[in-house]
Amino acid sequence: MAATESHDLPEGPNLPTPRLVAGSVALGLLVAIVGFAVFSSNPIPAEDAAILFRYSENVASGYGIVFNPMGPRVDGATDMLFMLTLAALVAVGFGVEVAAAAVNSLSLGLIATLLFLAWQSKAVGPSAWAGVVPVAVVLGGPIWLYGQMGFGTPAFAAACTVVAAASISASKDAGRGHLLFLGSAVALAGLVRPEGFILGPLIVAAQAIVARSLRMLVVPAAVWLPAVIGFVGWRNIYFGYPLPNPFYKKSGGTLHLEALHSMAEFVAIACLPILALLLFGLLLGEGRRRAYALVGIAIGWTASWTLLSDEMNVWFRFQYALLPVLLTLSSDLWRAVYSGLSRLSHGAAVFGVAMTLVITSLCFATSVNSFLRPSAKMLMVHLTQPEYVRQQSVHAQVASVLRENGKGVERSLASTEAGYVAWRSGWTVTDLWGLNDKTIAHDGYLKPSQLVELAPEVIFAHIPTDNHQSSSVAVAQSYLPGWTGMTEPLLCFVNAERYVLLGQWRDGGSFVVLARRDLPDLMHLKAQFSDLTVWGVANTASDGPLPVPEAC
């Protein structure tokens, strides 16, 4: 059997009572209902979310996991199980946006249920409503923004929270059933998103060290390790590569230390309530191993993200799952810390509780100001002015024009923006950035000669210049690293092939729409784009040609 720490914990329930379980589930359902109202309100999902929606609809239509119907198999969505779940819901009649809102809201409700249950089961002394605190920390954070934008982050965070909760149960009762369930939870998290096969084993290893139980490490591994091998093997057979396409595109074979900065910023804003417990745990004898275990999980998770670019890490969504995981695991640490404070004196225990609540309140206020306020503001705009939101989106307006001109025929588009426009236009799309193109992800950006062979009818691109600039890289410093490696050959190509500039909306660079000169509906497309105004900025395509790169 696993050894436990030497101190005696104060009286408290070892197992949740039926009343506590019912109350936790009721809380989760309430949170899920509110979550669905919020998540389903956004008329324009984020680019990465729209990419996933496109995959889900293609799977539901029977094309398989492809970016283009009848196109090659490729996985640019990354959130495999989340994407397949949406596809299943779409196949039975749900809209993909409604499906995403439903899955994410249920995930948020599950997180709230598990957090409240874990902490209330450990409630001791003057902390009888301790479960309210971690739930408030989560609800005061960026998870509303993730759901609004259509990201699968809440679903992945929920899967990892299940792993954390299962690891607590397994550490108390290392029976075969508990351990096999823990291994299955790790496998599930990894199928939702591949990083689950990193965070899940980190959680299991940390809890096994706390419990001093080799069995707790080995038995779950007998479930999740074959799942990893099988999943990677299937991917290699189905796609031709073992990892999702974005991993090849974003990693670049180098370390990305900017992830350390993102993690430090995320911890400073969202995770400081846990820091208060960690400090008490390290200073007191009780809970020290638990505190070290939590620190180890955070360090391991942070280190893993140095292997990938921080591209599209909106509101720290890549690192976010760490927050509910640490909050869940901190429930055991809280009980141990209270035990240590009680040994000093009743006053010390009360002081510790008070300080923890004060620090948590300050951090909660910071998190609300950083995340909840902009989320609420965004929600109000989405609810009251959905058409205004669409009119302010160049992606939505371009997609609308292309969709109208692509009905009933197959048309080709090359784009640096492979999310919303690809999803809504219905055109066959080449993702010039490479997240959804195996050739570009593995071999590099398309050269002018390759673009000639491709000969897209229309090009929609975000370029670091405009027709008021003399340089083709005038504002390259404000774009993602490597962006000009894609746009320079593109600008050479459109100049050599004399593509017609139909639209340009300047934003410190510019979004541009270009079309082949031989299109039968060229003048019709030009007329439709000429009057489009985005962000109050008129179409300035008629002001002159785009600058030509020196390399041409």
Side-chain angles (χ1 to χ4, degrees):
M1 291 294 292
T4 57
E5 296 187 28
S6 59
H7 61 275
D8 295 318
L9 296 177
E11 291 297 323
N14 292 319
L15 293 174
T17 63
R19 182 177 179 181
L20 176 56
V21 172
S24 301
V25 171
L27 173 64
L29 288 174
L30 177 61
V31 170
I33 291 170
V34 175
F36 183 77
V38 173
F39 298 162
S40 61
S41 68
N42 187 5
I44 306 292
E47 281 291 279
D48 279 16
I51 288 173
L52 187 141
F53 291 173
R54 181 175 171 95
Y55 278 100
S56 296
E57 291 182 339
N58 285 339
V59 171
S61 298
Y63 295 113
I65 305 174
V66 295
F67 186 61
N68 289 304
M70 309 305 292
R73 294 170 176 175
V74 61
D75 177 17
T78 306
D79 305 62
M80 177 63 72
L81 190 55
F82 179 68
M83 181 271 291
L84 292 176
T85 301
L86 299 193
L89 292 173
V90 170
V92 298
F94 288 91
V96 68
E97 292 168 285
V98 172
V103 173
N104 277 333
S105 59
L106 289 173
S107 298
L108 179 58
L110 179 59
I111 292 171
T113 296
L114 293 176
L115 276 175
F116 189 78
L117 193 60
W119 277 72
Q120 283 303 116
S121 296
K122 309 298 188 302
V124 290
S127 59
W129 285 95
V132 173
V133 175
V135 173
V137 170
V138 167
L139 298 185
I143 198 164
W144 300 104
L145 294 166
Y146 305 145
Q148 278 183 279
M149 301 308 290
F151 294 126
T153 307
F156 179 59
C160 293
T161 305
V162 170
V163 175
S167 73
I168 293 175
S169 296
S171 68
K172 306 303 179 188
D173 179 1
R176 188 175 184 84
H178 283 92
L179 295 176
L180 291 176
F181 178 79
L182 175 57
S184 301
V186 173
L188 179 70
L191 294 176
V192 173
R193 192 170 172 91
E195 301 94 299
F197 286 124
I198 297 174
L199 184 55
L202 282 173
I203 295 169
V204 174
Q207 288 290 83
I209 290 171
V210 170
R212 294 175 179 170
S213 170
L214 182 61
R215 173 182 168 84
M216 187 175 172
L217 194 63
V218 173
V219 175
V223 178
W224 67 258
L225 197 54
V228 173
I229 297 171
F231 187 45
V232 170
W234 170 79
R235 296 186 64 89
N236 202 48
I237 293 171
Y238 189 87
F239 297 110
Y241 297 98
L243 298 175
N245 216 47
F247 280 69
Y248 298 102
K249 175 66 183 70
K250 292 182 178 183
S251 70
T254 61
L255 291 178
H256 296 272
L257 298 181
E258 68 272 10
L260 299 179
H261 177 268
S262 293
M263 181 59 83
E265 192 175 356
F266 174 62
V267 169
I269 294 175
C271 298
L272 277 180
I274 302 166
L275 183 60
L277 281 180
L278 290 176
L279 290 175
F280 281 124
L282 293 173
L283 290 173
L284 301 166
E286 288 80 355
R288 186 168 291 168
R289 275 189 288 116
R290 288 186 173 90
Y292 281 132
L294 295 184
V295 172
I297 292 172
I299 291 175
W301 183 235
T302 300
S304 70
W305 279 105
T306 62
L307 301 175
L308 288 174
S309 164
D310 222 26
E311 174 191 333
M312 283 303 292
N313 188 16
V314 180
W315 293 299
F316 316 106
R317 68 185 180 100
F318 294 153
Q319 291 93 0
Y320 178 79
L322 181 67
L323 177 60
V325 164
L326 293 186
L327 285 170
T328 302
L329 297 177
S330 294
S331 60
D332 267 349
L333 177 60
W334 165 242
R335 198 168 178 213
V337 165
Y338 185 82
S339 173
L341 292 170
S342 297
R343 289 178 182 278
L344 299 178
S345 69
H346 178 71
V350 173
F351 173 77
V353 171
M355 286 302 298
T356 300
L357 291 176
V358 167
I359 294 174
T360 299
S361 299
L362 291 173
C363 298
F364 177 69
T366 301
S367 187
V368 165
N369 185 63
S370 300
F371 299 121
L372 198 56
R373 283 183 61 190
S375 179
K377 183 178 180 181
M378 185 186 301
L379 172 62
M380 290 307 298
V381 173
H382 290 164
L383 287 175
T384 59
Q385 306 176 65
E387 192 56 38
Y388 169 80
V389 174
R390 292 187 184 94
Q391 291 173 357
Q392 295 303 304
S393 168
V394 65
H395 299 82
Q397 298 221 52
V398 169
S400 178
V401 172
L402 294 180
R403 187 175 187 85
E404 182 180 334
N405 289 275
K407 293 178 180 177
V409 294
E410 184 176 346
R411 306 205 64 172
S412 61
L413 171 74
S415 181
T416 65
E417 312 297 293
Y420 191 89
V421 170
W423 172 47
R424 283 301 198 192
S425 69
W427 288 37
T428 297
V429 179
T430 298
D431 175 10
L432 297 174
W433 184 236
L435 292 179
N436 304 284
D437 189 292
K438 287 192 286 189
T439 300
I440 295 174
H442 289 267
D443 301 330
Y445 303 117
L446 297 182
K447 300 177 177 62
S449 58
Q450 294 171 299
L451 289 165
V452 168
E453 184 178 348
L454 184 66
E457 293 178 83
V458 174
I459 295 170
F460 175 52
H462 195 200
I463 59 175
T465 188
D466 58 62
N467 58 11
H468 290 210
Q469 305 286 345
S470 60
S471 170
S472 61
V473 292
V475 290
Q477 70 279 0
S478 62
Y479 282 62
L480 290 172
W483 195 261
T484 57
M486 168 184 59
T487 58
E488 290 290 272
L490 180 64
L491 289 171
C492 287
F493 164 72
V494 298
N495 175 69
E497 298 300 312
R498 300 177 63 202
Y499 270 63
V500 179
L501 184 61
L502 302 182
Q504 174 183 264
W505 299 271
R506 299 163 67 193
D507 69 335
S510 63
F511 285 95
V512 295
V513 176
L514 303 107
R516 271 196 346 230
R517 301 182 68 87
D518 61 348
L519 293 184
D521 59 347
L522 177 64
M523 298 311 295
H524 179 65
L525 284 169
K526 187 173 184 178
Q528 286 189 295
F529 280 114
S530 64
D531 295 330
L532 285 188
T533 298
V534 183
W535 326 296
V537 177
N539 182 350
T540 56
S542 61
D543 290 359
L546 294 172
V548 180
E550 294 180 3
C552 298

